[in-house]
Amino acid sequence: MKSTMFKAFAFALAASTFSFAGVGMADGAAKFLGNITTAGEIPDNFGTYWNQITAEYECVWINVEKERGKYDWTGCDLAYNWAKTNNAHFTFHTLLWGSQKPEWLNKLDVDETKKAFTDWLDAVKEHYPDLEMIEVVNEAVKTNNNYHSNFKTSKLIEALGGDNDDYKFVVTAFKMARERWPEAILIYNDYNTILWQKNEGIDLIKKIKAQGAPVDAYGMQFHETTLQGSGYRCLSSAVLKRVLHEAHEQTGLPIYITQYDVGDKNDYFQKECYQEHIPLLMETEYVKGITLWGYVYGKTWVTDGNSGLIKDGVERPALTWLKEYFKNPNAVRYGHGIADGAYKFLGNMIADKQEIPEDFQAYWNQVSPENACTWTVIEKERGKYDWTGCDNVYYWAQTKKVSFNFRSLLWGTHTPSWLYNLDVDETRKAVENWFDKAAMRYPKPYMIEVVNYSGFGSGNKIIEALGGNDDYKFIATAFKMARKRWPHAILALNAIDEYGWKNNQGADIIQKIQEQNAPVDAYQIIFAPLVQGSGPEAQCFSTERIQSGIQEIYDKIKLPLYITEYSVGTNNDSLQKACYSEHIPLFIESEIIAGVNLWGYLYEVGANVWTDESNPGLIKDGVDRPAMTWLKEYFNEHFYDSKNMWNKEGITRHPLDSLDSIAMEKPIAISDKDGRFGGKIRLEQNTLQNYDVFDVQGVRLSKLSAYGFSDAAATLRTSNAAKSSAIYFLRNRTTGKMRSVGIAR
């Protein structure tokens, strides 16, 4: 079924994901694990181990066009067609490489060299129009006036714009590649970037980005896996982690490990290095894929081929270990919860009197504190703050890379009692101060329940202080206040479903505040009731009614829906499992629901947590209850199924109607994993770009072409698409970036 999400309000980056291959040890993982061709061939069992392929030399210019104008694609086709046949991933290696260019090129003048390179790119484009990943430029880092590969023996540098210590020729190559492959991930690739020329590699990326090179990722050849000196040893994971972090932070790019190898005859030393490095690479989120360099012993150039993992037909210990590692779902598929890798989260809560379980992130990739972050808990006495409980959850989530839901910023039943004594002006000051303090303390929550709609209108003057209750203006004001403080968090309204999924009041509230340009991004619906009847007659709430209800709600507001506080509080294991198996597939497989937050993890009895009869916990006395067992089996079974797990839309952070500066500089996918595997982070270039134009209701009005957002805004102001004074939105169709534009007629 074609996704209907955001047809009306499509202000998001449609995350470009790869469908997983069904081959290789890493099938189903958050990133690929690939390898190279073997002396120009692909062994029959390649797909047993790998779900990505790079041709070692068969796609380089010198081998394809040995004689000018005559192309031999045989070797490159072998790798490309294998990937296509097996639904695996193919990386084109490489378009521009100083050491692997045709001999005849060295004899050409500047103009002919430019023409030859242009013809080469055109020929590759014609033969492979739909490449996924391209190593555009290979080994151009310059040290002591020499490049990592031999660019100086031809006129390539001069033909592509020269190099005045700015790598302009590299920039030109990337721009030419983007013109031919607008959807491919364009990679800069180099060696010695882990250790010896780490800074030089980062410097090159920074310089070409500053000139508008459309570089999407940094390919780091990882040959520095072993060190000599004080004993032959593996590069420590601590050093590797620091280097990867520095490269990612300074370049702003995702990283691909393009040539990992441990070349050593000692089987167990090779295994030791794999154990040191691979888990870190797999579990570092901005590392998007790993290509090993050497499959069969003796069949690659590096270190006499002893980087190979199969010797004389027998798996070396490093490969045996790899296979075991990839069998562990907590290590690679579900490193942050059983739904890790899906774009919609499956989260849970931390009850007020509960410690955070040590294995929480093994099950859940989103967390909500029960009441620890509410105003009434944190500021019991005006001006005195106790952040302890909220700190525990927030900073744990930041450390563990688990998405944090701030619950709740403004909740009628959870406001301090001292507010009762304040007049309207003082109440307004108190609310503003509370928002300010929370924003300073917690600058990067994933999602914020800005308003939890219950209990307003009694005992204090919050409604009057924020503009009154005419069309829920006080709620619209709260959202505008929140957006100023958290420009990139998902801002949600939370409301209990009081009408059985029909005529939902929360949807009516959202419609009213949308008319006031409130920057509301999502609707969190508290799921209740779950069980109808009692005793042996009890049964789960009808999925048919839920399905029609959520569709009716979505049709009203055109915003993603989150199921929050889902719990089946019962001692009846069979009933709890029955409800989970009825409801969870509906939520996960619905294209208008963006995430599910469960309400209860550990089964704990007592007045401070739950009563025995209504305990929603999924683990009792250290043992999974049947509902939990079913959950794990469901996510494992359906992990590869794109219609169930891979909602490709992002969640739009709607900007304030009056603030151009809070346009979405970087759309974030629902999982908040920076695009995760396949996400494309691009710069807008000084080339002609295509833009969609939307009004504030999300209706697409037209498209236009311009050289950057400033030019697009100027064009829009004079176009017929903007017929009246209003706020309009521009979305770059390539990068997904958005900007709002105010127009006065």
Side-chain angles (χ1 to χ4, degrees), residues 372-397:
C373 298
T374 57
W375 193 3
T376 189
V377 169
I378 290 174
E379 196 180 4
K380 292 178 181 178
E381 184 178 344
R382 190 175 187 184
K384 295 183 178 180
Y385 305 94
D386 182 1
W387 305 99
T388 306
C390 196
D391 276 356
N392 288 341
V393 182
Y394 176 81
Y395 291 107
W396 176 88

PDB file of all heavy atoms in Angstrom, residues 372-397:
ATOM      1  N   ALA A 372       8.748  11.967  36.630  1.00  0.00           N
ATOM      2  CA  ALA A 372       9.942  12.596  37.190  1.00  0.00           C
ATOM      3  C   ALA A 372      10.284  13.935  36.553  1.00  0.00           C
ATOM      4  O   ALA A 372      11.016  14.729  37.155  1.00  0.00           O
ATOM      5  CB  ALA A 372      11.139  11.650  37.062  1.00  0.00           C
ATOM      6  N   CYS A 373       9.786  14.206  35.349  1.00  0.00           N
ATOM      7  CA  CYS A 373      10.118  15.455  34.658  1.00  0.00           C
ATOM      8  C   CYS A 373       8.987  16.468  34.691  1.00  0.00           C
ATOM      9  O   CYS A 373       9.068  17.513  34.027  1.00  0.00           O
ATOM     10  CB  CYS A 373      10.506  15.169  33.208  1.00  0.00           C
ATOM     11  SG  CYS A 373      11.960  14.119  33.033  1.00  0.00           S
ATOM     12  N   THR A 374       7.952  16.190  35.416  1.00  0.00           N
ATOM     13  CA  THR A 374       6.818  17.122  35.454  1.00  0.00           C
ATOM     14  C   THR A 374       7.144  18.319  36.349  1.00  0.00           C
ATOM     15  O   THR A 374       7.959  18.243  37.275  1.00  0.00           O
ATOM     16  CB  THR A 374       5.553  16.425  35.962  1.00  0.00           C
ATOM     17  OG1 THR A 374       5.802  15.867  37.260  1.00  0.00           O
ATOM     18  CG2 THR A 374       5.134  15.310  35.007  1.00  0.00           C
ATOM     19  N   TRP A 375       6.484  19.400  36.077  1.00  0.00           N
ATOM     20  CA  TRP A 375       6.725  20.658  36.792  1.00  0.00           C
ATOM     21  C   TRP A 375       6.476  20.493  38.286  1.00  0.00           C
ATOM     22  O   TRP A 375       7.248  20.985  39.121  1.00  0.00           O
ATOM     23  CB  TRP A 375       5.818  21.735  36.194  1.00  0.00           C
ATOM     24  CG  TRP A 375       6.151  23.145  36.594  1.00  0.00           C
ATOM     25  CD1 TRP A 375       7.182  23.581  37.366  1.00  0.00           C
ATOM     26  CD2 TRP A 375       5.420  24.315  36.212  1.00  0.00           C
ATOM     27  NE1 TRP A 375       7.157  24.948  37.497  1.00  0.00           N
ATOM     28  CE2 TRP A 375       6.074  25.432  36.790  1.00  0.00           C
ATOM     29  CE3 TRP A 375       4.286  24.535  35.436  1.00  0.00           C
ATOM     30  CZ2 TRP A 375       5.615  26.741  36.622  1.00  0.00           C
ATOM     31  CZ3 TRP A 375       3.835  25.834  35.258  1.00  0.00           C
ATOM     32  CH2 TRP A 375       4.503  26.931  35.853  1.00  0.00           C
ATOM     33  N   THR A 376       5.431  19.804  38.631  1.00  0.00           N
ATOM     34  CA  THR A 376       5.075  19.675  40.042  1.00  0.00           C
ATOM     35  C   THR A 376       6.120  18.903  40.836  1.00  0.00           C
ATOM     36  O   THR A 376       6.293  19.127  42.040  1.00  0.00           O
ATOM     37  CB  THR A 376       3.699  18.988  40.185  1.00  0.00           C
ATOM     38  OG1 THR A 376       3.275  19.044  41.536  1.00  0.00           O
ATOM     39  CG2 THR A 376       3.731  17.549  39.738  1.00  0.00           C
ATOM     40  N   VAL A 377       6.861  18.015  40.181  1.00  0.00           N
ATOM     41  CA  VAL A 377       7.913  17.255  40.856  1.00  0.00           C
ATOM     42  C   VAL A 377       9.190  18.074  40.966  1.00  0.00           C
ATOM     43  O   VAL A 377       9.861  18.072  42.003  1.00  0.00           O
ATOM     44  CB  VAL A 377       8.177  15.930  40.101  1.00  0.00           C
ATOM     45  CG1 VAL A 377       9.436  15.251  40.625  1.00  0.00           C
ATOM     46  CG2 VAL A 377       6.977  15.001  40.235  1.00  0.00           C
ATOM     47  N   ILE A 378       9.534  18.789  39.898  1.00  0.00           N
ATOM     48  CA  ILE A 378      10.828  19.469  39.851  1.00  0.00           C
ATOM     49  C   ILE A 378      10.834  20.785  40.624  1.00  0.00           C
ATOM     50  O   ILE A 378      11.827  21.125  41.278  1.00  0.00           O
ATOM     51  CB  ILE A 378      11.237  19.690  38.379  1.00  0.00           C
ATOM     52  CG1 ILE A 378      11.587  18.337  37.743  1.00  0.00           C
ATOM     53  CG2 ILE A 378      12.412  20.659  38.260  1.00  0.00           C
ATOM     54  CD1 ILE A 378      11.876  18.378  36.273  1.00  0.00           C
ATOM     55  N   GLU A 379       9.755  21.548  40.576  1.00  0.00           N
ATOM     56  CA  GLU A 379       9.721  22.851  41.250  1.00  0.00           C
ATOM     57  C   GLU A 379       8.593  22.880  42.278  1.00  0.00           C
ATOM     58  O   GLU A 379       7.644  23.659  42.181  1.00  0.00           O
ATOM     59  CB  GLU A 379       9.554  23.980  40.229  1.00  0.00           C
ATOM     60  CG  GLU A 379       9.894  25.357  40.790  1.00  0.00           C
ATOM     61  CD  GLU A 379       9.729  26.499  39.778  1.00  0.00           C
ATOM     62  OE1 GLU A 379       9.265  26.246  38.645  1.00  0.00           O
ATOM     63  OE2 GLU A 379      10.053  27.648  40.142  1.00  0.00           O
ATOM     64  N   LYS A 380       8.712  22.049  43.294  1.00  0.00           N
ATOM     65  CA  LYS A 380       7.678  21.993  44.331  1.00  0.00           C
ATOM     66  C   LYS A 380       7.565  23.310  45.079  1.00  0.00           C
ATOM     67  O   LYS A 380       6.491  23.724  45.513  1.00  0.00           O
ATOM     68  CB  LYS A 380       7.987  20.864  45.309  1.00  0.00           C
ATOM     69  CG  LYS A 380       7.858  19.474  44.706  1.00  0.00           C
ATOM     70  CD  LYS A 380       8.214  18.386  45.706  1.00  0.00           C
ATOM     71  CE  LYS A 380       8.095  17.015  45.073  1.00  0.00           C
ATOM     72  NZ  LYS A 380       8.483  15.932  46.014  1.00  0.00           N
ATOM     73  N   GLU A 381       8.711  23.964  45.237  1.00  0.00           N
ATOM     74  CA  GLU A 381       8.745  25.292  45.866  1.00  0.00           C
ATOM     75  C   GLU A 381       9.308  26.263  44.839  1.00  0.00           C
ATOM     76  O   GLU A 381      10.312  25.979  44.183  1.00  0.00           O
ATOM     77  CB  GLU A 381       9.627  25.258  47.111  1.00  0.00           C
ATOM     78  CG  GLU A 381       9.649  26.553  47.892  1.00  0.00           C
ATOM     79  CD  GLU A 381      10.501  26.455  49.145  1.00  0.00           C
ATOM     80  OE1 GLU A 381      10.824  25.312  49.553  1.00  0.00           O
ATOM     81  OE2 GLU A 381      10.867  27.519  49.701  1.00  0.00           O
ATOM     82  N   ARG A 382       8.653  27.392  44.687  1.00  0.00           N
ATOM     83  CA  ARG A 382       9.026  28.307  43.604  1.00  0.00           C
ATOM     84  C   ARG A 382      10.504  28.703  43.703  1.00  0.00           C
ATOM     85  O   ARG A 382      10.995  29.136  44.745  1.00  0.00           O
ATOM     86  CB  ARG A 382       8.146  29.556  43.623  1.00  0.00           C
ATOM     87  CG  ARG A 382       8.331  30.414  42.370  1.00  0.00           C
ATOM     88  CD  ARG A 382       7.389  31.594  42.318  1.00  0.00           C
ATOM     89  NE  ARG A 382       7.502  32.274  41.013  1.00  0.00           N
ATOM     90  CZ  ARG A 382       6.848  33.399  40.696  1.00  0.00           C
ATOM     91  NH1 ARG A 382       6.027  33.962  41.581  1.00  0.00           N
ATOM     92  NH2 ARG A 382       7.015  33.933  39.508  1.00  0.00           N
ATOM     93  N   GLY A 383      11.195  28.517  42.583  1.00  0.00           N
ATOM     94  CA  GLY A 383      12.599  28.898  42.521  1.00  0.00           C
ATOM     95  C   GLY A 383      13.562  27.862  43.036  1.00  0.00           C
ATOM     96  O   GLY A 383      14.781  28.049  42.950  1.00  0.00           O
ATOM     97  N   LYS A 384      13.074  26.742  43.547  1.00  0.00           N
ATOM     98  CA  LYS A 384      13.927  25.659  44.026  1.00  0.00           C
ATOM     99  C   LYS A 384      13.643  24.408  43.192  1.00  0.00           C
ATOM    100  O   LYS A 384      12.493  23.970  43.122  1.00  0.00           O
ATOM    101  CB  LYS A 384      13.685  25.382  45.512  1.00  0.00           C
ATOM    102  CG  LYS A 384      14.086  26.549  46.406  1.00  0.00           C
ATOM    103  CD  LYS A 384      13.904  26.210  47.876  1.00  0.00           C
ATOM    104  CE  LYS A 384      14.346  27.367  48.763  1.00  0.00           C
ATOM    105  NZ  LYS A 384      14.175  27.050  50.209  1.00  0.00           N
ATOM    106  N   TYR A 385      14.693  23.858  42.600  1.00  0.00           N
ATOM    107  CA  TYR A 385      14.511  22.804  41.604  1.00  0.00           C
ATOM    108  C   TYR A 385      15.202  21.520  42.050  1.00  0.00           C
ATOM    109  O   TYR A 385      16.339  21.534  42.504  1.00  0.00           O
ATOM    110  CB  TYR A 385      15.086  23.241  40.251  1.00  0.00           C
ATOM    111  CG  TYR A 385      14.518  24.554  39.765  1.00  0.00           C
ATOM    112  CD1 TYR A 385      15.172  25.756  40.036  1.00  0.00           C
ATOM    113  CD2 TYR A 385      13.317  24.588  39.074  1.00  0.00           C
ATOM    114  CE1 TYR A 385      14.644  26.963  39.615  1.00  0.00           C
ATOM    115  CE2 TYR A 385      12.779  25.795  38.642  1.00  0.00           C
ATOM    116  CZ  TYR A 385      13.449  26.983  38.921  1.00  0.00           C
ATOM    117  OH  TYR A 385      12.922  28.175  38.509  1.00  0.00           O
ATOM    118  N   ASP A 386      14.508  20.444  41.875  1.00  0.00           N
ATOM    119  CA  ASP A 386      15.076  19.123  42.107  1.00  0.00           C
ATOM    120  C   ASP A 386      14.994  18.338  40.796  1.00  0.00           C
ATOM    121  O   ASP A 386      13.945  17.805  40.432  1.00  0.00           O
ATOM    122  CB  ASP A 386      14.311  18.388  43.204  1.00  0.00           C
ATOM    123  CG  ASP A 386      14.915  17.015  43.507  1.00  0.00           C
ATOM    124  OD1 ASP A 386      15.941  16.669  42.873  1.00  0.00           O
ATOM    125  OD2 ASP A 386      14.353  16.296  44.351  1.00  0.00           O
ATOM    126  N   TRP A 387      16.107  18.286  40.073  1.00  0.00           N
ATOM    127  CA  TRP A 387      16.141  17.646  38.763  1.00  0.00           C
ATOM    128  C   TRP A 387      16.546  16.171  38.842  1.00  0.00           C
ATOM    129  O   TRP A 387      16.676  15.508  37.815  1.00  0.00           O
ATOM    130  CB  TRP A 387      17.155  18.362  37.861  1.00  0.00           C
ATOM    131  CG  TRP A 387      16.953  19.835  37.702  1.00  0.00           C
ATOM    132  CD1 TRP A 387      17.609  20.830  38.358  1.00  0.00           C
ATOM    133  CD2 TRP A 387      16.035  20.481  36.814  1.00  0.00           C
ATOM    134  NE1 TRP A 387      17.165  22.065  37.938  1.00  0.00           N
ATOM    135  CE2 TRP A 387      16.201  21.881  36.980  1.00  0.00           C
ATOM    136  CE3 TRP A 387      15.093  20.024  35.890  1.00  0.00           C
ATOM    137  CZ2 TRP A 387      15.457  22.814  36.271  1.00  0.00           C
ATOM    138  CZ3 TRP A 387      14.345  20.951  35.176  1.00  0.00           C
ATOM    139  CH2 TRP A 387      14.524  22.329  35.368  1.00  0.00           C
ATOM    140  N   THR A 388      16.720  15.667  40.028  1.00  0.00           N
ATOM    141  CA  THR A 388      17.362  14.362  40.197  1.00  0.00           C
ATOM    142  C   THR A 388      16.720  13.269  39.363  1.00  0.00           C
ATOM    143  O   THR A 388      17.386  12.574  38.572  1.00  0.00           O
ATOM    144  CB  THR A 388      17.346  13.949  41.678  1.00  0.00           C
ATOM    145  OG1 THR A 388      17.930  14.989  42.463  1.00  0.00           O
ATOM    146  CG2 THR A 388      18.127  12.656  41.863  1.00  0.00           C
ATOM    147  N   GLY A 389      15.429  13.072  39.543  1.00  0.00           N
ATOM    148  CA  GLY A 389      14.758  11.977  38.847  1.00  0.00           C
ATOM    149  C   GLY A 389      14.791  12.123  37.339  1.00  0.00           C
ATOM    150  O   GLY A 389      15.057  11.155  36.606  1.00  0.00           O
ATOM    151  N   CYS A 390      14.552  13.338  36.856  1.00  0.00           N
ATOM    152  CA  CYS A 390      14.562  13.578  35.412  1.00  0.00           C
ATOM    153  C   CYS A 390      15.978  13.455  34.849  1.00  0.00           C
ATOM    154  O   CYS A 390      16.181  12.901  33.762  1.00  0.00           O
ATOM    155  CB  CYS A 390      13.978  14.954  35.119  1.00  0.00           C
ATOM    156  SG  CYS A 390      13.504  15.220  33.392  1.00  0.00           S
ATOM    157  N   ASP A 391      16.954  13.988  35.607  1.00  0.00           N
ATOM    158  CA  ASP A 391      18.359  13.864  35.191  1.00  0.00           C
ATOM    159  C   ASP A 391      18.743  12.403  34.972  1.00  0.00           C
ATOM    160  O   ASP A 391      19.419  12.053  34.001  1.00  0.00           O
ATOM    161  CB  ASP A 391      19.287  14.446  36.260  1.00  0.00           C
ATOM    162  CG  ASP A 391      19.457  15.951  36.142  1.00  0.00           C
ATOM    163  OD1 ASP A 391      18.914  16.546  35.192  1.00  0.00           O
ATOM    164  OD2 ASP A 391      20.146  16.526  37.010  1.00  0.00           O
ATOM    165  N   ASN A 392      18.332  11.562  35.905  1.00  0.00           N
ATOM    166  CA  ASN A 392      18.713  10.156  35.824  1.00  0.00           C
ATOM    167  C   ASN A 392      18.304   9.537  34.491  1.00  0.00           C
ATOM    168  O   ASN A 392      19.067   8.803  33.865  1.00  0.00           O
ATOM    169  CB  ASN A 392      18.092   9.365  36.978  1.00  0.00           C
ATOM    170  CG  ASN A 392      18.735   9.682  38.314  1.00  0.00           C
ATOM    171  OD1 ASN A 392      19.854  10.202  38.371  1.00  0.00           O
ATOM    172  ND2 ASN A 392      18.037   9.378  39.396  1.00  0.00           N
ATOM    173  N   VAL A 393      17.095   9.852  34.062  1.00  0.00           N
ATOM    174  CA  VAL A 393      16.586   9.248  32.826  1.00  0.00           C
ATOM    175  C   VAL A 393      17.167   9.952  31.605  1.00  0.00           C
ATOM    176  O   VAL A 393      17.613   9.303  30.651  1.00  0.00           O
ATOM    177  CB  VAL A 393      15.048   9.286  32.793  1.00  0.00           C
ATOM    178  CG1 VAL A 393      14.524   8.601  31.531  1.00  0.00           C
ATOM    179  CG2 VAL A 393      14.464   8.618  34.030  1.00  0.00           C
ATOM    180  N   TYR A 394      17.197  11.287  31.626  1.00  0.00           N
ATOM    181  CA  TYR A 394      17.650  12.042  30.451  1.00  0.00           C
ATOM    182  C   TYR A 394      19.107  11.742  30.131  1.00  0.00           C
ATOM    183  O   TYR A 394      19.446  11.440  28.974  1.00  0.00           O
ATOM    184  CB  TYR A 394      17.473  13.541  30.697  1.00  0.00           C
ATOM    185  CG  TYR A 394      17.998  14.411  29.569  1.00  0.00           C
ATOM    186  CD1 TYR A 394      17.240  14.631  28.424  1.00  0.00           C
ATOM    187  CD2 TYR A 394      19.246  15.023  29.651  1.00  0.00           C
ATOM    188  CE1 TYR A 394      17.719  15.428  27.385  1.00  0.00           C
ATOM    189  CE2 TYR A 394      19.728  15.821  28.628  1.00  0.00           C
ATOM    190  CZ  TYR A 394      18.960  16.025  27.498  1.00  0.00           C
ATOM    191  OH  TYR A 394      19.444  16.813  26.483  1.00  0.00           O
ATOM    192  N   TYR A 395      19.973  11.838  31.122  1.00  0.00           N
ATOM    193  CA  TYR A 395      21.396  11.659  30.848  1.00  0.00           C
ATOM    194  C   TYR A 395      21.746  10.191  30.605  1.00  0.00           C
ATOM    195  O   TYR A 395      22.683   9.886  29.856  1.00  0.00           O
ATOM    196  CB  TYR A 395      22.235  12.275  31.969  1.00  0.00           C
ATOM    197  CG  TYR A 395      22.132  13.777  31.946  1.00  0.00           C
ATOM    198  CD1 TYR A 395      21.401  14.471  32.897  1.00  0.00           C
ATOM    199  CD2 TYR A 395      22.724  14.510  30.921  1.00  0.00           C
ATOM    200  CE1 TYR A 395      21.280  15.857  32.851  1.00  0.00           C
ATOM    201  CE2 TYR A 395      22.611  15.889  30.859  1.00  0.00           C
ATOM    202  CZ  TYR A 395      21.886  16.564  31.825  1.00  0.00           C
ATOM    203  OH  TYR A 395      21.760  17.927  31.762  1.00  0.00           O
ATOM    204  N   TRP A 396      20.993   9.281  31.191  1.00  0.00           N
ATOM    205  CA  TRP A 396      21.155   7.875  30.838  1.00  0.00           C
ATOM    206  C   TRP A 396      20.807   7.676  29.363  1.00  0.00           C
ATOM    207  O   TRP A 396      21.530   6.981  28.631  1.00  0.00           O
ATOM    208  CB  TRP A 396      20.253   7.000  31.707  1.00  0.00           C
ATOM    209  CG  TRP A 396      20.289   5.552  31.333  1.00  0.00           C
ATOM    210  CD1 TRP A 396      21.156   4.610  31.793  1.00  0.00           C
ATOM    211  CD2 TRP A 396      19.440   4.891  30.397  1.00  0.00           C
ATOM    212  NE1 TRP A 396      20.886   3.398  31.209  1.00  0.00           N
ATOM    213  CE2 TRP A 396      19.846   3.544  30.340  1.00  0.00           C
ATOM    214  CE3 TRP A 396      18.367   5.299  29.610  1.00  0.00           C
ATOM    215  CZ2 TRP A 396      19.214   2.604  29.519  1.00  0.00           C
ATOM    216  CZ3 TRP A 396      17.743   4.379  28.786  1.00  0.00           C
ATOM    217  CH2 TRP A 396      18.170   3.049  28.745  1.00  0.00           C
ATOM    218  N   ALA A 397      19.708   8.267  28.917  1.00  0.00           N
ATOM    219  CA  ALA A 397      19.290   8.133  27.517  1.00  0.00           C
ATOM    220  C   ALA A 397      20.323   8.731  26.573  1.00  0.00           C
ATOM    221  O   ALA A 397      20.623   8.160  25.513  1.00  0.00           O
ATOM    222  CB  ALA A 397      17.934   8.795  27.302  1.00  0.00           C
TER     223      ALA A 397
END
